[in-house]
Amino acid sequence: MATAYDLIVIGAGPGGYVCAIRAAQLGFKVAVVEKRSTYGGTCLNVGCIPSKALLHASAAYEEAGHGFAAMGINVAPKLDLGRMQAFKDEGVKGNVDGVAFLFKKNKIEAIQGSATILGPGRVGVALGNGDRLRLETKSIVIATGSDVAKLPGITIDEQTIVSSTGALTLARVPKRLLVIGAGVIGLELGSVWRRLGSEVLVVEFLDRILPGTDADVARTVQRILTRQGLSFKLASKVTGVASTAAGHKIAIEPAVGDGEGMMIDADVVLMAVGRVPFTEGLGLDAVGVKLDNRKRIIVDEKFGAGVADIYAIGDVIAGPMLAHKAEDEGIAVAEIIAGQAGHVNYDAIPNVIYTSPEVATVGKSEEDLKAAGIAYNVGKFPFTANARAKVNRTTEGFVKILADAASDRILGVHIIAAQASEMIAEATLILEFGGSAEDLARTCHAHPTLTEAMKEAALAVAKRAIHF
């Protein structure tokens, strides 16, 4: 006899596990089906968390070797990559175990296996031992996340031709690393291995890095990363990778036109051209769930997938592929299923790139506002004029605030800073509440802090910054 639930969530990544917890809080009997042996999805296992561990460790190694002496600390750091990888794995385990604890605390049943939707209210699960379960439920939430995007003709082996997964587990520092794609993943992982000793070349199809980011920010980040030792070849495409006993030979051609191509040697190739929604094998066609031209599940404003009591959230639907976006959607859909007013404000979702310095943005870019024909004012403040940044030797970057020319309402905030990932929360909050540049400018900020640059940039919208 099938086991009955109020809600079955397919996928235990950030969107799925948060949805399950919120539904349990609301009194639902909840089961989560997860094909991995651990919880947390790509983010906790092979994405956000392990990459941030290596970014943190490699930044500390870089600072010890090149920054400590200027502060009167003389050391000669020696890299132990095995221990660094163990440090990363310890952090991952702590987070994954935390999700398992939360499932037990909230009485959520976790089932390891691959799920198929058999129809409204019916889910089949293929277990690892070959058995199958048939589960019944009032509602289903699809939260299966995304997978690595691939280029035709290039086979990822996770040894020397790697995705982000393999790039997090390399056993030795490659002498030459070629990164395909100048997006978030490529720049973050390229930064890790450059700090640890690799020669890094980033190849990007477009004529700029960080597609979709404010162009002013992207230009500045490229200059900073170039000074740090990364090399860039823009408006170029990789057309083939030939493996040899000595490594790989990579064919690169202009992205458009008939310009001259070239061959590049590399020991490791990192494929970082984005991610694609994971919607295969779920039985969506059979139950009538529709996909768009990018294989994302089409949902309505309440995350309904067009079939009674089947919903979808996170990377499998439209919008930025961000863990915190999925989490907000997970909470919202659980509350909607419970008859409450779940809601996500897509105009106030921050995005962070964990390079050094970090890059954080929320809201509209200048290009967005120009395309929409919205008149705006710009307030910009550099960290070279910030007292805390000066004494901490973290003066690269700026805060840029875009405010509506008529109402002064803040429409977008863009930060390049040592702690941009933390600073962006203030900007997100003021966007959420519809605040103005004047509101931010009149808010007292502690001194000395990096966040004083937020206040100064807000003052600069009205051309009245004090310290610049």
Side-chain angles (χ1 to χ4, degrees):
M1 182 176 179
T3 303
Y5 299 91
D6 296 311
L7 173 65
I8 291 176
V9 181
I10 304 175
Y17 83 71
V18 167
C19 175
I21 291 169
R22 182 65 185 121
Q25 290 175 342
L26 292 166
F28 289 3
K29 182 180 180 181
V30 182
V32 175
V33 181
E34 170 56 51
K35 65 180 181 180
R36 291 180 186 270
S37 60
T38 56
Y39 309 127
T42 294
C43 179
L44 267 65
N45 288 275
V46 292
C48 320
I49 298 305
S51 66
K52 300 313 161 288
L54 288 185
L55 281 159
H56 175 69
S58 64
Y61 177 76
E62 172 90 353
E63 182 72 359
H66 299 93
F68 278 10
M71 296 183 285
I73 306 169
N74 295 310
V75 296
K78 181 180 179 181
L79 177 64
D80 182 342
L81 184 57
R83 184 66 195 99
M84 187 177 288
Q85 292 284 16
F87 160 78
K88 173 207 69 182
D89 294 341
E90 289 162 7
V92 169
K93 186 178 186 303
N95 281 277
V96 167
D97 289 350
V99 176
F101 166 77
L102 291 172
F103 278 178
K104 291 180 180 178
K105 175 184 175 183
N106 289 279
K107 297 179 174 58
I108 297 165
E109 184 173 349
I111 302 168
Q112 184 187 350
S114 297
T116 303
I117 300 174
L118 305 175
R122 293 182 293 125
V123 175
V125 182
L127 303 178
N129 60 6
D131 291 344
R132 295 190 65 87
L133 297 179
R134 183 176 178 276
L135 309 177
E136 292 184 358
T137 182
K138 295 177 183 176
S139 300
I140 300 168
V141 171
I142 303 167
T144 44
S146 58
D147 198 4
V148 174
K150 302 175 178 66
L151 291 178
I154 302 176
T155 301
I156 295 174
D157 61 17
E158 301 297 13
Q159 300 297 318
T160 59
I161 301 178
V162 300
S163 69
S164 55
T165 300
L168 292 167
T169 58
L170 295 177
R172 61 183 59 85
V173 178
K175 183 178 186 300
R176 299 160 300 181
L177 171 66
L178 184 128
V179 179
I180 307 175
V184 176
I185 295 171
L187 296 187
E188 288 186 355
L189 292 176
S191 293
V192 167
W193 294 107
R194 200 285 309 162
R195 294 169 191 163
L196 299 181
S198 292
E199 299 171 12
V200 179
L201 172 64
V202 182
V203 179
E204 169 57 46
F205 185 83
L206 300 178
D207 61 358
R208 52 161 291 176
I209 71 170
L210 297 176
T213 304
D214 185 276
D216 181 19
V217 170
R219 286 191 298 269
T220 302
V221 172
Q222 184 178 343
R223 287 196 296 269
I224 292 171
L225 294 180
T226 300
R227 288 198 299 269
Q228 292 178 1
L230 273 73
S231 299
F232 294 90
K233 190 164 183 58
L234 306 179
S236 301
K237 60 183 177 182
V238 172
T239 57
V241 177
S243 300
T244 71
H248 301 289
K249 289 189 176 295
I250 299 95
I252 301 175
E253 297 180 3
V256 294
D258 299 321
E260 187 175 349
M262 62 187 303
M263 296 294 291
I264 296 291
D265 292 323
D267 304 294
V268 173
V269 177
L270 166 59
M271 184 86 71
V273 293
R275 298 185 65 82
V276 293
F278 191 90
T279 51
E280 298 292 332
L282 295 171
L284 301 184
D285 286 345
V287 296
V289 172
K290 304 298 184 184
L291 305 180
D292 66 13
N293 60 355
R294 295 172 62 181
K295 296 188 177 180
R296 300 175 300 191
I297 296 172
I298 299 171
V299 296
D300 59 26
E301 68 280 359
K302 293 186 177 180
F303 306 100
V307 179
D309 297 311
I310 297 179
Y311 304 83
I313 60 170
D315 288 2
V316 295
I317 69 172
M321 290 183 171
L322 298 169
H324 44 280
K325 176 255 196 187
E327 289 182 358
D328 276 10
E329 290 173 342
I331 291 172
V333 75
E335 293 175 348
I336 288 169
I337 294 170
Q340 299 183 7
H343 171 71
V344 177
N345 179 3
Y346 290 100
D347 290 328
I349 295 179
N351 192 6
V352 180
I353 305 157
Y354 294 86
T355 49
S356 181
E358 296 174 345
V359 182
T361 68
V362 66
K364 304 299 184 183
S365 67
E366 288 201 63
E367 291 71 35
D368 293 333
L369 298 177
K370 288 174 182 175
I374 299 172
Y376 63 94
N377 294 321
V378 181
K380 194 171 179 180
F381 188 81
F383 281 96
T384 52
N386 176 270
R388 182 72 180 274
K390 284 182 178 180
V391 299
N392 285 0
R393 302 175 69 248
T394 56
T395 56
E396 289 183 312
F398 56 76
V399 174
K400 182 165 78 170
I401 293 176
L402 309 175
D404 187 278
S407 68
D408 195 43
R409 180 177 177 178
I410 293 178
L411 303 174
V413 179
H414 307 271
I415 307 171
I416 304 174
Q419 297 179 31
S421 59
E422 305 296 336
M423 295 174 64
I424 201 64
E426 178 180 16
T428 304
L429 185 63
I430 202 160
L431 259 71
E432 182 68 38
F433 286 94
S436 66
E438 182 72 9
D439 291 329
L440 185 52
R442 290 189 177 276
T443 300
C444 187
H445 288 65
H447 175 78
T449 60
L450 297 181
T451 57
E452 288 179 282
M454 292 284 290
K455 178 185 179 82
E456 291 277 4
L459 287 165
V461 169
K463 297 180 171 55
R464 54 192 178 100
I466 300 299
H467 291 94
F468 183 72

PDB file of all heavy atoms in Angstrom, residues 27-45:
ATOM      1  N   GLY A  27       2.724  22.301   9.483  1.00  0.00           N
ATOM      2  CA  GLY A  27       1.925  21.155   9.898  1.00  0.00           C
ATOM      3  C   GLY A  27       1.765  20.060   8.867  1.00  0.00           C
ATOM      4  O   GLY A  27       1.001  19.113   9.075  1.00  0.00           O
ATOM      5  N   PHE A  28       2.483  20.130   7.748  1.00  0.00           N
ATOM      6  CA  PHE A  28       2.364  19.118   6.708  1.00  0.00           C
ATOM      7  C   PHE A  28       3.177  17.873   7.051  1.00  0.00           C
ATOM      8  O   PHE A  28       4.225  17.959   7.701  1.00  0.00           O
ATOM      9  CB  PHE A  28       2.889  19.661   5.380  1.00  0.00           C
ATOM     10  CG  PHE A  28       2.016  20.715   4.737  1.00  0.00           C
ATOM     11  CD1 PHE A  28       0.876  21.187   5.347  1.00  0.00           C
ATOM     12  CD2 PHE A  28       2.362  21.240   3.503  1.00  0.00           C
ATOM     13  CE1 PHE A  28       0.083  22.159   4.759  1.00  0.00           C
ATOM     14  CE2 PHE A  28       1.585  22.213   2.897  1.00  0.00           C
ATOM     15  CZ  PHE A  28       0.438  22.668   3.525  1.00  0.00           C
ATOM     16  N   LYS A  29       2.693  16.731   6.573  1.00  0.00           N
ATOM     17  CA  LYS A  29       3.493  15.515   6.573  1.00  0.00           C
ATOM     18  C   LYS A  29       4.309  15.524   5.285  1.00  0.00           C
ATOM     19  O   LYS A  29       3.753  15.459   4.187  1.00  0.00           O
ATOM     20  CB  LYS A  29       2.608  14.272   6.649  1.00  0.00           C
ATOM     21  CG  LYS A  29       3.413  12.965   6.701  1.00  0.00           C
ATOM     22  CD  LYS A  29       2.495  11.746   6.785  1.00  0.00           C
ATOM     23  CE  LYS A  29       3.330  10.462   6.843  1.00  0.00           C
ATOM     24  NZ  LYS A  29       2.461   9.261   6.893  1.00  0.00           N
ATOM     25  N   VAL A  30       5.637  15.579   5.424  1.00  0.00           N
ATOM     26  CA  VAL A  30       6.503  15.870   4.285  1.00  0.00           C
ATOM     27  C   VAL A  30       7.512  14.746   4.061  1.00  0.00           C
ATOM     28  O   VAL A  30       8.094  14.221   5.015  1.00  0.00           O
ATOM     29  CB  VAL A  30       7.266  17.193   4.495  1.00  0.00           C
ATOM     30  CG1 VAL A  30       8.136  17.516   3.273  1.00  0.00           C
ATOM     31  CG2 VAL A  30       6.296  18.344   4.774  1.00  0.00           C
ATOM     32  N   ALA A  31       7.731  14.433   2.778  1.00  0.00           N
ATOM     33  CA  ALA A  31       8.830  13.545   2.382  1.00  0.00           C
ATOM     34  C   ALA A  31       9.671  14.263   1.342  1.00  0.00           C
ATOM     35  O   ALA A  31       9.157  15.045   0.535  1.00  0.00           O
ATOM     36  CB  ALA A  31       8.306  12.239   1.815  1.00  0.00           C
ATOM     37  N   VAL A  32      10.965  14.026   1.377  1.00  0.00           N
ATOM     38  CA  VAL A  32      11.893  14.562   0.374  1.00  0.00           C
ATOM     39  C   VAL A  32      12.567  13.390  -0.319  1.00  0.00           C
ATOM     40  O   VAL A  32      13.086  12.485   0.342  1.00  0.00           O
ATOM     41  CB  VAL A  32      12.960  15.473   1.012  1.00  0.00           C
ATOM     42  CG1 VAL A  32      13.979  15.909  -0.033  1.00  0.00           C
ATOM     43  CG2 VAL A  32      12.318  16.692   1.655  1.00  0.00           C
ATOM     44  N   VAL A  33      12.559  13.401  -1.654  1.00  0.00           N
ATOM     45  CA  VAL A  33      13.249  12.370  -2.430  1.00  0.00           C
ATOM     46  C   VAL A  33      14.513  12.993  -3.013  1.00  0.00           C
ATOM     47  O   VAL A  33      14.446  14.007  -3.717  1.00  0.00           O
ATOM     48  CB  VAL A  33      12.363  11.823  -3.560  1.00  0.00           C
ATOM     49  CG1 VAL A  33      13.112  10.734  -4.329  1.00  0.00           C
ATOM     50  CG2 VAL A  33      11.049  11.292  -3.010  1.00  0.00           C
ATOM     51  N   GLU A  34      15.656  12.419  -2.702  1.00  0.00           N
ATOM     52  CA  GLU A  34      16.952  12.959  -3.139  1.00  0.00           C
ATOM     53  C   GLU A  34      17.808  11.824  -3.690  1.00  0.00           C
ATOM     54  O   GLU A  34      17.998  10.808  -3.027  1.00  0.00           O
ATOM     55  CB  GLU A  34      17.663  13.636  -1.967  1.00  0.00           C
ATOM     56  CG  GLU A  34      19.107  14.022  -2.225  1.00  0.00           C
ATOM     57  CD  GLU A  34      19.294  14.918  -3.425  1.00  0.00           C
ATOM     58  OE1 GLU A  34      18.585  15.946  -3.521  1.00  0.00           O
ATOM     59  OE2 GLU A  34      20.147  14.587  -4.268  1.00  0.00           O
ATOM     60  N   LYS A  35      18.334  12.008  -4.906  1.00  0.00           N
ATOM     61  CA  LYS A  35      19.130  10.942  -5.525  1.00  0.00           C
ATOM     62  C   LYS A  35      20.543  10.857  -4.954  1.00  0.00           C
ATOM     63  O   LYS A  35      21.175   9.794  -5.009  1.00  0.00           O
ATOM     64  CB  LYS A  35      19.180  11.122  -7.035  1.00  0.00           C
ATOM     65  CG  LYS A  35      19.898  12.365  -7.498  1.00  0.00           C
ATOM     66  CD  LYS A  35      19.895  12.459  -9.017  1.00  0.00           C
ATOM     67  CE  LYS A  35      20.643  13.686  -9.489  1.00  0.00           C
ATOM     68  NZ  LYS A  35      20.646  13.781 -10.969  1.00  0.00           N
ATOM     69  N   ARG A  36      21.078  11.964  -4.415  1.00  0.00           N
ATOM     70  CA  ARG A  36      22.403  11.907  -3.790  1.00  0.00           C
ATOM     71  C   ARG A  36      22.324  11.164  -2.466  1.00  0.00           C
ATOM     72  O   ARG A  36      21.268  11.059  -1.847  1.00  0.00           O
ATOM     73  CB  ARG A  36      22.928  13.316  -3.516  1.00  0.00           C
ATOM     74  CG  ARG A  36      23.284  14.144  -4.726  1.00  0.00           C
ATOM     75  CD  ARG A  36      23.783  15.510  -4.264  1.00  0.00           C
ATOM     76  NE  ARG A  36      24.020  16.416  -5.375  1.00  0.00           N
ATOM     77  CZ  ARG A  36      25.169  16.526  -6.011  1.00  0.00           C
ATOM     78  NH1 ARG A  36      26.201  15.801  -5.622  1.00  0.00           N
ATOM     79  NH2 ARG A  36      25.307  17.363  -7.024  1.00  0.00           N
ATOM     80  N   SER A  37      23.479  10.723  -2.014  1.00  0.00           N
ATOM     81  CA  SER A  37      23.537  10.080  -0.703  1.00  0.00           C
ATOM     82  C   SER A  37      23.599  11.109   0.425  1.00  0.00           C
ATOM     83  O   SER A  37      23.478  10.762   1.597  1.00  0.00           O
ATOM     84  CB  SER A  37      24.749   9.152  -0.621  1.00  0.00           C
ATOM     85  OG  SER A  37      25.949   9.887  -0.824  1.00  0.00           O
ATOM     86  N   THR A  38      23.821  12.369   0.067  1.00  0.00           N
ATOM     87  CA  THR A  38      23.853  13.450   1.053  1.00  0.00           C
ATOM     88  C   THR A  38      22.890  14.547   0.629  1.00  0.00           C
ATOM     89  O   THR A  38      22.490  14.632  -0.542  1.00  0.00           O
ATOM     90  CB  THR A  38      25.271  14.048   1.178  1.00  0.00           C
ATOM     91  OG1 THR A  38      25.714  14.476  -0.115  1.00  0.00           O
ATOM     92  CG2 THR A  38      26.238  13.020   1.734  1.00  0.00           C
ATOM     93  N   TYR A  39      22.540  15.401   1.580  1.00  0.00           N
ATOM     94  CA  TYR A  39      21.576  16.467   1.308  1.00  0.00           C
ATOM     95  C   TYR A  39      22.295  17.769   0.958  1.00  0.00           C
ATOM     96  O   TYR A  39      23.497  17.913   1.145  1.00  0.00           O
ATOM     97  CB  TYR A  39      20.686  16.678   2.533  1.00  0.00           C
ATOM     98  CG  TYR A  39      20.063  15.397   3.049  1.00  0.00           C
ATOM     99  CD1 TYR A  39      20.197  15.025   4.387  1.00  0.00           C
ATOM    100  CD2 TYR A  39      19.364  14.559   2.195  1.00  0.00           C
ATOM    101  CE1 TYR A  39      19.639  13.841   4.858  1.00  0.00           C
ATOM    102  CE2 TYR A  39      18.804  13.373   2.654  1.00  0.00           C
ATOM    103  CZ  TYR A  39      18.954  13.026   3.995  1.00  0.00           C
ATOM    104  OH  TYR A  39      18.401  11.862   4.449  1.00  0.00           O
ATOM    105  N   GLY A  40      21.529  18.721   0.452  1.00  0.00           N
ATOM    106  CA  GLY A  40      22.082  20.032   0.159  1.00  0.00           C
ATOM    107  C   GLY A  40      22.281  20.318  -1.313  1.00  0.00           C
ATOM    108  O   GLY A  40      22.622  21.438  -1.694  1.00  0.00           O
ATOM    109  N   GLY A  41      22.106  19.303  -2.173  1.00  0.00           N
ATOM    110  CA  GLY A  41      22.191  19.518  -3.603  1.00  0.00           C
ATOM    111  C   GLY A  41      23.569  19.951  -4.071  1.00  0.00           C
ATOM    112  O   GLY A  41      24.579  19.788  -3.383  1.00  0.00           O
ATOM    113  N   THR A  42      23.603  20.517  -5.277  1.00  0.00           N
ATOM    114  CA  THR A  42      24.852  21.010  -5.847  1.00  0.00           C
ATOM    115  C   THR A  42      25.500  22.039  -4.933  1.00  0.00           C
ATOM    116  O   THR A  42      26.715  22.000  -4.696  1.00  0.00           O
ATOM    117  CB  THR A  42      24.585  21.637  -7.231  1.00  0.00           C
ATOM    118  OG1 THR A  42      24.150  20.610  -8.131  1.00  0.00           O
ATOM    119  CG2 THR A  42      25.836  22.297  -7.786  1.00  0.00           C
ATOM    120  N   CYS A  43      24.709  22.946  -4.382  1.00  0.00           N
ATOM    121  CA  CYS A  43      25.250  24.063  -3.596  1.00  0.00           C
ATOM    122  C   CYS A  43      26.124  23.582  -2.444  1.00  0.00           C
ATOM    123  O   CYS A  43      27.285  23.960  -2.335  1.00  0.00           O
ATOM    124  CB  CYS A  43      24.114  24.924  -3.081  1.00  0.00           C
ATOM    125  SG  CYS A  43      24.662  26.315  -2.074  1.00  0.00           S
ATOM    126  N   LEU A  44      25.586  22.738  -1.601  1.00  0.00           N
ATOM    127  CA  LEU A  44      26.326  22.319  -0.414  1.00  0.00           C
ATOM    128  C   LEU A  44      27.401  21.287  -0.728  1.00  0.00           C
ATOM    129  O   LEU A  44      28.440  21.258  -0.073  1.00  0.00           O
ATOM    130  CB  LEU A  44      25.370  21.742   0.636  1.00  0.00           C
ATOM    131  CG  LEU A  44      24.852  22.754   1.673  1.00  0.00           C
ATOM    132  CD1 LEU A  44      23.983  23.801   1.008  1.00  0.00           C
ATOM    133  CD2 LEU A  44      24.082  22.047   2.781  1.00  0.00           C
ATOM    134  N   ASN A  45      27.171  20.456  -1.740  1.00  0.00           N
ATOM    135  CA  ASN A  45      28.085  19.346  -2.000  1.00  0.00           C
ATOM    136  C   ASN A  45      29.214  19.693  -2.960  1.00  0.00           C
ATOM    137  O   ASN A  45      30.376  19.373  -2.702  1.00  0.00           O
ATOM    138  CB  ASN A  45      27.294  18.144  -2.530  1.00  0.00           C
ATOM    139  CG  ASN A  45      26.457  17.471  -1.468  1.00  0.00           C
ATOM    140  OD1 ASN A  45      26.949  16.630  -0.732  1.00  0.00           O
ATOM    141  ND2 ASN A  45      25.180  17.844  -1.384  1.00  0.00           N
TER     142      ASN A  45
END
